[in-house]
Amino acid sequence: RPARGRRGILRGLAWLAGAGMGAQAVRQAPSWQAAVADLRTARGERRDVRLPDRSRLTLNTASAVDLQFDDRERRLRLHAGEILVETAAAAATAVGRPDRPFVVDTRAGRLRALGTRFVVRQPDDAATGGEMLVQVFDGAVEIAPAQGVTPSIVRAGQQAHFTRDLARPSTAVDPTAAAWTRGLLVAERWRLADLLAELGRYRAGVVRCDPAVAELAVSGVFSLQDTDAALAALGRTRPVRVQRT
């Protein structure tokens, strides 16, 4: 009986240790971090937030962000989705040091805002090699990939993709790229498959097309607040038929 009791205790300790490691793994999972983030949006939802330093943050669909503002720095942690950051000129008069850096941490690296208005988009596969996207509309942003690559600067009118170990050269940004903040999607000769993938971010269920029409070029302005209407418009204006299951 004593031996059996000791074995029971050991099994109990092993179970508790395993449960503890399991709980830690859950807390570190991206889905959990997004679910308990300070700020988050549901699929199809957008949200405007005024930050403690009077900067402005806009969260796109299915996005999640943690805030950490103190006397040393202003930090956002992007767990999922896409955000637009506008660092306000009034931030210099906010409580605390006016020279506190404004940084955004992502799964692939850190961004430092240099008096700017910019978008950061983190794909679901960013942790396994998917490319982050930074689009700068005013000022500049410094990209520092997580693996210690030399930081690079993306200036106004440019965009760049980066991963944990590299930042690609900047290219010209589409001036309509932030139209989602107004509830719009502006397409200029997009592949139909790409357009549907983007609309799918704002609605439940699955949106896909037959490979035979995937390369069809589509242009137009579509509502992100009514994706049913956007799909109906495709059926009226392009040689495709919309089917629902």
Side-chain angles (χ1 to χ4, degrees):
R1 285 192 182 113
R4 190 177 304 122
R6 286 193 295 272
R7 286 196 295 271
I9 292 172
L10 290 174
R11 282 197 299 269
L13 291 174
W15 183 88
L16 288 173
M21 290 187 294
Q24 180 65 19
V26 168
R27 286 194 295 269
Q28 294 177 349
S31 57
W32 173 262
Q33 292 174 340
V36 299
D38 295 331
L39 301 171
R40 56 188 182 274
T41 53
R43 184 177 291 274
E45 179 188 7
R46 291 180 307 281
R47 181 179 178 187
D48 285 319
V49 179
R50 187 66 68 178
L51 298 176
D53 69 338
R54 304 179 191 173
S55 294
R56 180 182 175 189
L57 174 68
T58 304
L59 289 80
N60 201 357
T61 175
S63 299
V65 177
D66 276 331
L67 306 181
Q68 183 181 338
F69 280 54
D70 54 34
D71 291 339
R72 294 177 300 173
E73 65 179 4
R74 301 163 289 168
R75 180 192 300 271
L76 305 181
R77 173 68 183 180
L78 178 60
H79 293 294
E82 183 175 21
I83 57 174
L84 171 70
V85 178
E86 297 182 60
T87 54
T93 63
V95 176
R97 293 172 49 194
D99 60 342
R100 292 177 300 163
F102 193 113
V103 299
V104 179
D105 284 334
T106 73
R107 295 180 204 164
R110 174 172 295 184
L111 307 172
R112 184 166 67 94
L114 306 175
T116 184
R117 175 173 175 263
F118 66 102
V119 165
V120 188
R121 179 166 173 174
Q122 180 164 271
D124 293 339
D125 60 347
T128 58
E131 292 190 340
M132 303 285 302
L133 174 63
V134 178
Q135 299 168 312
V136 182
F137 301 99
D138 294 301
V141 173
E142 179 186 79
I143 302 176
Q147 296 299 335
V149 180
T150 302
S152 59
I153 302 294
V154 183
R155 304 193 181 280
Q158 298 180 327
Q159 67 178 24
H161 292 83
F162 71 99
T163 63
R164 293 180 60 83
D165 52 13
L166 66 88
R168 300 193 181 282
S170 301
T171 58
V173 68
D174 181 350
T176 66
W180 59 265
T181 61
R182 306 190 304 275
L184 300 174
L185 174 61
V186 181
E188 180 64 34
R189 295 194 61 79
W190 284 26
R191 296 172 62 247
L192 177 60
D194 294 337
L195 178 66
L196 294 179
E198 192 66 15
L199 289 175
R201 297 176 61 212
Y202 296 85
R203 56 184 290 125
V206 178
V207 183
R208 60 189 178 191
C209 66
D210 190 296
V213 294
E215 300 297 326
L216 189 67
V218 180
S219 298
V221 180
F222 302 91
S223 171
L224 296 175
Q225 297 173 317
D226 189 351
T227 53
D228 283 337
L231 294 175
L234 289 173
R236 290 193 305 269
T237 61
R238 307 305 298 167
V240 297
R241 182 176 67 257
V242 180
Q243 295 179 323
R244 300 174 183 270
T245 303

